[in-house]
């Protein structure tokens, strides 16, 4: 083990020591992420900072816009701790707004622009937003939820409005006149909140997870060091900027390392390699689905003409890993694992196919993350006779947990805005009696060298299309639409596809369920990735077991008509259609694409 892992562990130790020393220094000096960006901008004022469509923003351009945002909101009376929600698709201004707000100690809430109706309104309210900055093309979505929002919420619009039902403050002309020098200094600590990122959890609606300045730096620098990114790199980031992968780890390279950032409104499989050639990209980001979509594209010259040497992200299936590298000539794939709000971030730095990260087997106390045994049917942690959690051995599945150390910025759990939600992610007596650890909710397996391999999510969330889906939230929406007693939602695996697709079992004792009405109502209430792809209709429901146990059985049965004798439907071409043996086989073989 030592022979095989010593070089890897020494590199990790070097990164850890750098981070600890850096964090200590930044805490003492009260350095912020905005300070780090200003330092980078002063070093490379004329260098390309953000490339977006036909726009080129230099570091000086971004710094000027950031200062204008900061000065405007400061003059408007926004103070340290005030929250402003951001609702817009990827664009350079998105980063500028949260950076500008952070200069005056205000906190941005990065809202998923796919959300509509109740989940969208909930996100704005859960963050306790005083204002919301939105792109004009989001005005219809905002208009729909205005009746449920506070009348005191201030609306700020950039770009042209898509509807006339609301009256915001138009920011474009105002920011042109706003001063471009740094705002009045506000005392902000390195451990203070930087912004909120929303994550789907077992409680249902999105939860606002706290990203502190220290956490942003820690996630960014760790990836930067392991992937060897520099100011000479150009990073292709087509991921949503409201998530940590694109919005922290990607954007962070631009802020801290001087890496030029290429952002896209949305991912395009057909344009991916053409863009990488056009923008001279040397690094790229992915989620698992992106790699699969790229492999499904016809062969084209650009896929071998690019200069991308490294790609990093999460969700790359082991089955396509080697094929992806061979076809596209990407020398290094940096698969990482990191819960948005947690303290268990880890990365696979040496192309170990299938591994999502590692822990040292030589000195595990240096970075205390581990796998603990779990009863897969009840979800309960298995403990020894002293009440301490039992660690999973190599080859055994277990839930990934990270020890919480108060006062250590790298081991703290910043949690959520909602304290109750925070408490649910903390477990006691894990490594030893009296300690606490963060629960990731993910089941992994570790090999004898300490490499981790992702197996599944626990509880009431599943991952689909790169997003976490809360089964409770979808159940609540369905129940509201159909007015029936029972609707159970869970994720099912489809051969060859990453994650799990949503499936709902609905009890319909009176044959009154209208699937067309259900689909149109779901379209209005849920983002595309959260809509159930499969429907199972039952005449009655088994009430003997607990809801969770019932869900486990339903998930195992899946959508195979040879196993399930209830009526089954699949969302094909915008309509729920019956699943026959032929349809089932076509889904599994990939003939029907979902």
């Amino acid at each position: 083990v030592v022979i095989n892992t010593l070089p890897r562990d020494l590199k990790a130790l070097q990164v850890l020591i750098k981070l600890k020393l850096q964090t200590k220094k930044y805490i003492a000096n009260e350095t912020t992420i905005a300070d780090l960006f200003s330092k980078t901008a002063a070093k490379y004022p004329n260098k390309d900072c953000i490339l977006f469509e036909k726009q080129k923003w230099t570091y000086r351009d971004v710094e000027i816009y950031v200062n204008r945002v900061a000065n405007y909101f400061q003059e408007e009376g926004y103070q340290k701790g005030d929250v402003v929600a951001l609702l817009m698709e990827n664009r350079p201004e998105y980063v500028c707004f949260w950076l500008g707000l952070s200069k005056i100690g205000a906190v941005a809430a990065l809202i998923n622009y796919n959300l509509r109706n109740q989940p969208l309104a909930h996100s704005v309210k859960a963050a306790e937003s005083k204002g919301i900055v939105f792109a004009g093309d989001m005005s219809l979505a905002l208009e729909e939820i205005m009746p449920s929002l506070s009348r005191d919420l201030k609306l700020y619009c950039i770009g042209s409005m898509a509807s006339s039902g609301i009256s915001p403050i138009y920011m474009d002309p105002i920011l042109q006149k706003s001063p471009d020098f740094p705002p009045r200094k506000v005392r902000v600590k390195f451990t203070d909140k930087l912004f909120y990122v929303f994550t789907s959890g077992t409680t249902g609606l999105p939860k606002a997870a706290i990203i502190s300045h220290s956490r942003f730096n820690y996630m960014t620098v760790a990836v930067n060091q392991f992937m060897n990114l520099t100011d000479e790199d150009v990073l292709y980031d087509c991921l949503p900027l409201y998530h940590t992968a694109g919005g922290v780890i990607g954007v962070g390279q631009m802020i801290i390392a001087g890496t030029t950032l290429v952002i896209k409104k949305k991912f395009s499989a057909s344009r991916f390699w053409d863009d990488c050639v056009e923008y001279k990209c040397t690094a790229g980001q992915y989620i698992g689905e992106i790699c699969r979509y790229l492999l499904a594209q016809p062969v084209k010259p650009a896929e071998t003409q690019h200069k991308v040497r490294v790609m990093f992200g999460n969700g790359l299936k082991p089955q396509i890993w080697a094929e992806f590298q061979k076809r596209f000539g990407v020398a290094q794939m940096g698969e990482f694992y990191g819960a948005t709000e947690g303290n268990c971030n880890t990365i696979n730095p040496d192309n170990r196919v299938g591994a999502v990260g590692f822990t040292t087997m030589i000195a595990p106390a240096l970075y205390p993350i581990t796998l603990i045994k779990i009863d897969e049917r009840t979800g309960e942690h298995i403990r020894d006779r002293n009440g301490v959690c039992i660690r999973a051995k190599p080859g055994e599945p277990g839930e990934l947990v990270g020890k919480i150390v108060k006062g250590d910025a790298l081991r703290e759990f910043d949690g959520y805005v909602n304290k109750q939600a925070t408490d649910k992610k903390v477990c006691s007596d894990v490594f030893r009696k009296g300690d606490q650890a963060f629960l990731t909710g993910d089941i992994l397996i570790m090999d004898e060298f300490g490499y981790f391999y992702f197996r599944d999510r626990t509880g009431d969330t599943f991952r689909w299309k790169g997003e976490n889906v809360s089964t409770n939230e979808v159940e609540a929406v369905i129940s509201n639409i159909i007015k029936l007693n029972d609707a159970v939602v869970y994720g099912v695996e489809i051969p060859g596809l990453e994650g799990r697709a949503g499936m709902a079992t609905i009890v319909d004792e009176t044959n009154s369920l209208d699937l067309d009405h259900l689909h149109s109502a779901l379209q209005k209430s849920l983002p595309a990735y959260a809509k159930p792809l499969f429907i199972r209709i039952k005449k009655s429901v088994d009430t003997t077991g607990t809801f969770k146990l019932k869900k486990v059985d339903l998930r195992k049965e899946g959508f195979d008509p040879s196993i399930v004798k209830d009526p089954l439907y699949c969302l094909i071409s915008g309509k729920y259609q019956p699943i026959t043996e032929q349809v089932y086989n076509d889904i599994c073989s990939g003939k029907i694409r979902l």
Side-chain angles (χ1 to χ4, degrees), residues 7 14 25 31 60 92-93 124 131 166 172 190 208 234 270 279 305 333 357 368 409 480 525-526 562 570 580:
Q14 183 189 347
K25 176 182 148 190
T31 304
R60 182 186 283 117
E93 294 89 344
V124 176
I166 48 180
D172 296 332
F190 191 55
V234 179
S270 60
Y279 293 112
Q305 291 169 349
M333 301 302 288
N480 199 32
S525 302
L526 290 173
S562 67
C570 178
T580 60

PDB file of all heavy atoms in Angstrom, residues 7 14 25 31 60 92-93 124 131 166 172 190 208 234 270 279 305 333 357 368 409 480 525-526 562 570 580:
ATOM      1  N   PRO A   7       3.589   8.460  -3.326  1.00  0.00           N
ATOM      2  CA  PRO A   7       3.684   9.687  -4.148  1.00  0.00           C
ATOM      3  C   PRO A   7       2.379  10.491  -4.134  1.00  0.00           C
ATOM      4  O   PRO A   7       2.395  11.718  -4.010  1.00  0.00           O
ATOM      5  CB  PRO A   7       4.001   9.152  -5.553  1.00  0.00           C
ATOM      6  CG  PRO A   7       4.574   7.793  -5.331  1.00  0.00           C
ATOM      7  CD  PRO A   7       3.897   7.259  -4.109  1.00  0.00           C
ATOM      8  N   GLN A  14       1.251  17.952   0.679  1.00  0.00           N
ATOM      9  CA  GLN A  14       1.783  19.254   0.242  1.00  0.00           C
ATOM     10  C   GLN A  14       0.631  20.251   0.018  1.00  0.00           C
ATOM     11  O   GLN A  14       0.696  21.406   0.460  1.00  0.00           O
ATOM     12  CB  GLN A  14       2.573  19.036  -1.056  1.00  0.00           C
ATOM     13  CG  GLN A  14       3.248  20.263  -1.620  1.00  0.00           C
ATOM     14  CD  GLN A  14       3.821  19.988  -3.018  1.00  0.00           C
ATOM     15  OE1 GLN A  14       3.928  18.845  -3.457  1.00  0.00           O
ATOM     16  NE2 GLN A  14       4.167  21.045  -3.719  1.00  0.00           N
ATOM     17  N   LYS A  25      -3.264  32.503   7.209  1.00  0.00           N
ATOM     18  CA  LYS A  25      -2.838  33.850   6.823  1.00  0.00           C
ATOM     19  C   LYS A  25      -4.039  34.712   6.427  1.00  0.00           C
ATOM     20  O   LYS A  25      -4.156  35.869   6.850  1.00  0.00           O
ATOM     21  CB  LYS A  25      -1.847  33.734   5.649  1.00  0.00           C
ATOM     22  CG  LYS A  25      -1.376  35.068   5.071  1.00  0.00           C
ATOM     23  CD  LYS A  25      -0.433  34.791   3.896  1.00  0.00           C
ATOM     24  CE  LYS A  25      -0.538  35.875   2.855  1.00  0.00           C
ATOM     25  NZ  LYS A  25       0.178  35.521   1.615  1.00  0.00           N
ATOM     26  N   THR A  31      -8.648  38.560   4.664  1.00  0.00           N
ATOM     27  CA  THR A  31      -8.660  38.566   3.196  1.00  0.00           C
ATOM     28  C   THR A  31      -9.995  37.995   2.712  1.00  0.00           C
ATOM     29  O   THR A  31     -10.541  37.079   3.325  1.00  0.00           O
ATOM     30  CB  THR A  31      -7.500  37.696   2.659  1.00  0.00           C
ATOM     31  OG1 THR A  31      -6.283  38.185   3.202  1.00  0.00           O
ATOM     32  CG2 THR A  31      -7.427  37.722   1.148  1.00  0.00           C
ATOM     33  N   ARG A  60      -9.433  44.010 -16.058  1.00  0.00           N
ATOM     34  CA  ARG A  60      -9.783  45.387 -15.709  1.00  0.00           C
ATOM     35  C   ARG A  60     -11.277  45.631 -15.922  1.00  0.00           C
ATOM     36  O   ARG A  60     -11.937  46.263 -15.086  1.00  0.00           O
ATOM     37  CB  ARG A  60      -8.961  46.374 -16.555  1.00  0.00           C
ATOM     38  CG  ARG A  60      -9.247  47.842 -16.183  1.00  0.00           C
ATOM     39  CD  ARG A  60      -8.555  48.827 -17.101  1.00  0.00           C
ATOM     40  NE  ARG A  60      -7.138  48.956 -16.797  1.00  0.00           N
ATOM     41  CZ  ARG A  60      -6.155  48.641 -17.632  1.00  0.00           C
ATOM     42  NH1 ARG A  60      -6.445  48.181 -18.841  1.00  0.00           N
ATOM     43  NH2 ARG A  60      -4.900  48.790 -17.281  1.00  0.00           N
ATOM     44  N   PRO A  92     -21.297  36.907 -18.118  1.00  0.00           N
ATOM     45  CA  PRO A  92     -20.230  37.514 -17.301  1.00  0.00           C
ATOM     46  C   PRO A  92     -20.761  38.315 -16.117  1.00  0.00           C
ATOM     47  O   PRO A  92     -20.164  38.308 -15.034  1.00  0.00           O
ATOM     48  CB  PRO A  92     -19.499  38.416 -18.304  1.00  0.00           C
ATOM     49  CG  PRO A  92     -19.768  37.811 -19.646  1.00  0.00           C
ATOM     50  CD  PRO A  92     -21.156  37.247 -19.547  1.00  0.00           C
ATOM     51  N   GLU A  93     -21.883  39.015 -16.310  1.00  0.00           N
ATOM     52  CA  GLU A  93     -22.433  39.850 -15.234  1.00  0.00           C
ATOM     53  C   GLU A  93     -22.787  39.040 -13.995  1.00  0.00           C
ATOM     54  O   GLU A  93     -22.791  39.570 -12.879  1.00  0.00           O
ATOM     55  CB  GLU A  93     -23.687  40.602 -15.725  1.00  0.00           C
ATOM     56  CG  GLU A  93     -23.437  41.627 -16.796  1.00  0.00           C
ATOM     57  CD  GLU A  93     -23.522  41.067 -18.211  1.00  0.00           C
ATOM     58  OE1 GLU A  93     -23.472  39.829 -18.365  1.00  0.00           O
ATOM     59  OE2 GLU A  93     -23.615  41.860 -19.158  1.00  0.00           O
ATOM     60  N   VAL A 124     -36.213  32.029  -3.106  1.00  0.00           N
ATOM     61  CA  VAL A 124     -36.068  33.466  -2.835  1.00  0.00           C
ATOM     62  C   VAL A 124     -36.350  33.751  -1.360  1.00  0.00           C
ATOM     63  O   VAL A 124     -35.630  34.498  -0.703  1.00  0.00           O
ATOM     64  CB  VAL A 124     -37.006  34.298  -3.743  1.00  0.00           C
ATOM     65  CG1 VAL A 124     -36.922  35.782  -3.388  1.00  0.00           C
ATOM     66  CG2 VAL A 124     -36.652  34.080  -5.215  1.00  0.00           C
ATOM     67  N   GLY A 131     -33.524  41.716  -2.047  1.00  0.00           N
ATOM     68  CA  GLY A 131     -33.691  42.114  -3.439  1.00  0.00           C
ATOM     69  C   GLY A 131     -33.390  40.953  -4.348  1.00  0.00           C
ATOM     70  O   GLY A 131     -32.836  39.935  -3.912  1.00  0.00           O
ATOM     71  N   ILE A 166     -44.261  43.275 -14.320  1.00  0.00           N
ATOM     72  CA  ILE A 166     -43.573  43.754 -13.120  1.00  0.00           C
ATOM     73  C   ILE A 166     -42.783  45.017 -13.461  1.00  0.00           C
ATOM     74  O   ILE A 166     -42.461  45.263 -14.616  1.00  0.00           O
ATOM     75  CB  ILE A 166     -42.624  42.680 -12.526  1.00  0.00           C
ATOM     76  CG1 ILE A 166     -41.743  42.045 -13.607  1.00  0.00           C
ATOM     77  CG2 ILE A 166     -43.393  41.609 -11.791  1.00  0.00           C
ATOM     78  CD1 ILE A 166     -40.794  40.982 -13.087  1.00  0.00           C
ATOM     79  N   ASP A 172     -28.831  48.468 -16.244  1.00  0.00           N
ATOM     80  CA  ASP A 172     -27.824  48.760 -17.270  1.00  0.00           C
ATOM     81  C   ASP A 172     -27.430  50.246 -17.323  1.00  0.00           C
ATOM     82  O   ASP A 172     -26.250  50.574 -17.217  1.00  0.00           O
ATOM     83  CB  ASP A 172     -28.283  48.250 -18.644  1.00  0.00           C
ATOM     84  CG  ASP A 172     -28.413  46.728 -18.669  1.00  0.00           C
ATOM     85  OD1 ASP A 172     -27.701  46.063 -17.901  1.00  0.00           O
ATOM     86  OD2 ASP A 172     -29.234  46.207 -19.440  1.00  0.00           O
ATOM     87  N   PHE A 190     -12.563  36.165   6.496  1.00  0.00           N
ATOM     88  CA  PHE A 190     -12.351  35.070   5.540  1.00  0.00           C
ATOM     89  C   PHE A 190     -13.323  33.918   5.804  1.00  0.00           C
ATOM     90  O   PHE A 190     -13.640  33.150   4.901  1.00  0.00           O
ATOM     91  CB  PHE A 190     -10.904  34.588   5.648  1.00  0.00           C
ATOM     92  CG  PHE A 190     -10.470  33.659   4.544  1.00  0.00           C
ATOM     93  CD1 PHE A 190     -10.585  34.015   3.206  1.00  0.00           C
ATOM     94  CD2 PHE A 190      -9.927  32.410   4.842  1.00  0.00           C
ATOM     95  CE1 PHE A 190     -10.170  33.166   2.197  1.00  0.00           C
ATOM     96  CE2 PHE A 190      -9.513  31.546   3.835  1.00  0.00           C
ATOM     97  CZ  PHE A 190      -9.634  31.924   2.510  1.00  0.00           C
ATOM     98  N   ALA A 208     -30.740  26.391   1.143  1.00  0.00           N
ATOM     99  CA  ALA A 208     -29.647  27.329   0.885  1.00  0.00           C
ATOM    100  C   ALA A 208     -28.418  26.901   1.677  1.00  0.00           C
ATOM    101  O   ALA A 208     -28.382  27.019   2.899  1.00  0.00           O
ATOM    102  CB  ALA A 208     -30.071  28.741   1.273  1.00  0.00           C
ATOM    103  N   VAL A 234      -6.601  28.197 -20.388  1.00  0.00           N
ATOM    104  CA  VAL A 234      -7.926  28.721 -20.765  1.00  0.00           C
ATOM    105  C   VAL A 234      -8.917  27.612 -20.438  1.00  0.00           C
ATOM    106  O   VAL A 234      -8.814  26.500 -20.978  1.00  0.00           O
ATOM    107  CB  VAL A 234      -7.995  29.089 -22.265  1.00  0.00           C
ATOM    108  CG1 VAL A 234      -9.386  29.598 -22.630  1.00  0.00           C
ATOM    109  CG2 VAL A 234      -6.935  30.128 -22.618  1.00  0.00           C
ATOM    110  N   SER A 270     -22.688  19.494 -29.806  1.00  0.00           N
ATOM    111  CA  SER A 270     -22.192  19.692 -31.170  1.00  0.00           C
ATOM    112  C   SER A 270     -21.157  20.814 -31.253  1.00  0.00           C
ATOM    113  O   SER A 270     -20.325  20.831 -32.146  1.00  0.00           O
ATOM    114  CB  SER A 270     -23.353  19.978 -32.131  1.00  0.00           C
ATOM    115  OG  SER A 270     -24.043  21.151 -31.731  1.00  0.00           O
ATOM    116  N   TYR A 279     -11.579  28.981 -28.861  1.00  0.00           N
ATOM    117  CA  TYR A 279     -11.097  29.767 -27.721  1.00  0.00           C
ATOM    118  C   TYR A 279      -9.710  29.323 -27.231  1.00  0.00           C
ATOM    119  O   TYR A 279      -9.213  29.841 -26.236  1.00  0.00           O
ATOM    120  CB  TYR A 279     -12.092  29.663 -26.564  1.00  0.00           C
ATOM    121  CG  TYR A 279     -13.433  30.319 -26.831  1.00  0.00           C
ATOM    122  CD1 TYR A 279     -14.595  29.556 -26.964  1.00  0.00           C
ATOM    123  CD2 TYR A 279     -13.543  31.700 -26.944  1.00  0.00           C
ATOM    124  CE1 TYR A 279     -15.825  30.144 -27.202  1.00  0.00           C
ATOM    125  CE2 TYR A 279     -14.772  32.307 -27.174  1.00  0.00           C
ATOM    126  CZ  TYR A 279     -15.911  31.519 -27.317  1.00  0.00           C
ATOM    127  OH  TYR A 279     -17.125  32.121 -27.547  1.00  0.00           O
ATOM    128  N   GLN A 305      -8.318  18.362 -32.805  1.00  0.00           N
ATOM    129  CA  GLN A 305      -7.535  19.564 -33.122  1.00  0.00           C
ATOM    130  C   GLN A 305      -7.385  20.485 -31.908  1.00  0.00           C
ATOM    131  O   GLN A 305      -6.641  21.460 -31.947  1.00  0.00           O
ATOM    132  CB  GLN A 305      -8.206  20.344 -34.267  1.00  0.00           C
ATOM    133  CG  GLN A 305      -8.147  19.619 -35.599  1.00  0.00           C
ATOM    134  CD  GLN A 305      -9.038  20.270 -36.656  1.00  0.00           C
ATOM    135  OE1 GLN A 305      -9.849  21.145 -36.338  1.00  0.00           O
ATOM    136  NE2 GLN A 305      -8.890  19.848 -37.902  1.00  0.00           N
ATOM    137  N   MET A 333      -8.074  13.008 -16.703  1.00  0.00           N
ATOM    138  CA  MET A 333      -9.442  13.225 -16.235  1.00  0.00           C
ATOM    139  C   MET A 333      -9.376  13.341 -14.714  1.00  0.00           C
ATOM    140  O   MET A 333      -8.899  12.428 -14.034  1.00  0.00           O
ATOM    141  CB  MET A 333     -10.367  12.071 -16.631  1.00  0.00           C
ATOM    142  CG  MET A 333     -10.452  11.817 -18.129  1.00  0.00           C
ATOM    143  SD  MET A 333     -11.006  13.232 -19.109  1.00  0.00           S
ATOM    144  CE  MET A 333     -12.747  13.294 -18.669  1.00  0.00           C
ATOM    145  N   GLY A 357     -12.085   9.844  -5.891  1.00  0.00           N
ATOM    146  CA  GLY A 357     -11.206  10.507  -4.927  1.00  0.00           C
ATOM    147  C   GLY A 357     -10.477   9.470  -4.106  1.00  0.00           C
ATOM    148  O   GLY A 357     -10.493   8.275  -4.424  1.00  0.00           O
ATOM    149  N   PRO A 368      -9.472  13.512   8.017  1.00  0.00           N
ATOM    150  CA  PRO A 368     -10.398  12.519   8.588  1.00  0.00           C
ATOM    151  C   PRO A 368     -11.740  12.408   7.864  1.00  0.00           C
ATOM    152  O   PRO A 368     -12.751  12.976   8.268  1.00  0.00           O
ATOM    153  CB  PRO A 368     -10.578  13.014  10.035  1.00  0.00           C
ATOM    154  CG  PRO A 368     -10.317  14.484   9.980  1.00  0.00           C
ATOM    155  CD  PRO A 368      -9.359  14.714   8.863  1.00  0.00           C
ATOM    156  N   ALA A 409     -11.077  25.948   9.761  1.00  0.00           N
ATOM    157  CA  ALA A 409     -11.867  26.361   8.588  1.00  0.00           C
ATOM    158  C   ALA A 409     -11.969  25.268   7.535  1.00  0.00           C
ATOM    159  O   ALA A 409     -12.938  25.221   6.770  1.00  0.00           O
ATOM    160  CB  ALA A 409     -11.262  27.625   7.975  1.00  0.00           C
ATOM    161  N   ASN A 480     -50.408  17.463  -5.095  1.00  0.00           N
ATOM    162  CA  ASN A 480     -51.150  18.713  -5.253  1.00  0.00           C
ATOM    163  C   ASN A 480     -51.920  18.726  -6.574  1.00  0.00           C
ATOM    164  O   ASN A 480     -53.031  19.243  -6.654  1.00  0.00           O
ATOM    165  CB  ASN A 480     -50.157  19.888  -5.210  1.00  0.00           C
ATOM    166  CG  ASN A 480     -50.843  21.195  -4.913  1.00  0.00           C
ATOM    167  OD1 ASN A 480     -51.832  21.223  -4.197  1.00  0.00           O
ATOM    168  ND2 ASN A 480     -50.338  22.268  -5.483  1.00  0.00           N
ATOM    169  N   SER A 525     -44.647  23.169 -13.056  1.00  0.00           N
ATOM    170  CA  SER A 525     -44.235  23.201 -11.648  1.00  0.00           C
ATOM    171  C   SER A 525     -42.829  22.693 -11.368  1.00  0.00           C
ATOM    172  O   SER A 525     -42.273  23.004 -10.326  1.00  0.00           O
ATOM    173  CB  SER A 525     -45.222  22.359 -10.811  1.00  0.00           C
ATOM    174  OG  SER A 525     -46.517  22.846 -10.954  1.00  0.00           O
ATOM    175  N   LEU A 526     -42.268  21.899 -12.291  1.00  0.00           N
ATOM    176  CA  LEU A 526     -40.962  21.284 -12.012  1.00  0.00           C
ATOM    177  C   LEU A 526     -39.991  21.526 -13.157  1.00  0.00           C
ATOM    178  O   LEU A 526     -40.398  21.554 -14.322  1.00  0.00           O
ATOM    179  CB  LEU A 526     -41.112  19.768 -11.827  1.00  0.00           C
ATOM    180  CG  LEU A 526     -41.825  19.261 -10.575  1.00  0.00           C
ATOM    181  CD1 LEU A 526     -42.025  17.748 -10.679  1.00  0.00           C
ATOM    182  CD2 LEU A 526     -41.041  19.605  -9.313  1.00  0.00           C
ATOM    183  N   SER A 562     -42.063  -7.143 -17.208  1.00  0.00           N
ATOM    184  CA  SER A 562     -42.085  -8.588 -16.924  1.00  0.00           C
ATOM    185  C   SER A 562     -42.101  -8.836 -15.412  1.00  0.00           C
ATOM    186  O   SER A 562     -42.455  -9.917 -14.959  1.00  0.00           O
ATOM    187  CB  SER A 562     -40.869  -9.275 -17.559  1.00  0.00           C
ATOM    188  OG  SER A 562     -39.675  -8.850 -16.916  1.00  0.00           O
ATOM    189  N   CYS A 570     -44.148   5.655 -19.762  1.00  0.00           N
ATOM    190  CA  CYS A 570     -42.869   6.360 -19.893  1.00  0.00           C
ATOM    191  C   CYS A 570     -43.097   7.658 -20.666  1.00  0.00           C
ATOM    192  O   CYS A 570     -43.909   7.702 -21.609  1.00  0.00           O
ATOM    193  CB  CYS A 570     -41.866   5.484 -20.645  1.00  0.00           C
ATOM    194  SG  CYS A 570     -40.271   6.298 -20.891  1.00  0.00           S
ATOM    195  N   THR A 580     -44.494  -1.328 -23.011  1.00  0.00           N
ATOM    196  CA  THR A 580     -44.616  -2.739 -23.401  1.00  0.00           C
ATOM    197  C   THR A 580     -43.228  -3.367 -23.278  1.00  0.00           C
ATOM    198  O   THR A 580     -42.230  -2.673 -23.014  1.00  0.00           O
ATOM    199  CB  THR A 580     -45.100  -2.851 -24.853  1.00  0.00           C
ATOM    200  OG1 THR A 580     -44.120  -2.198 -25.693  1.00  0.00           O
ATOM    201  CG2 THR A 580     -46.458  -2.166 -25.041  1.00  0.00           C
TER     202      THR A 580
END
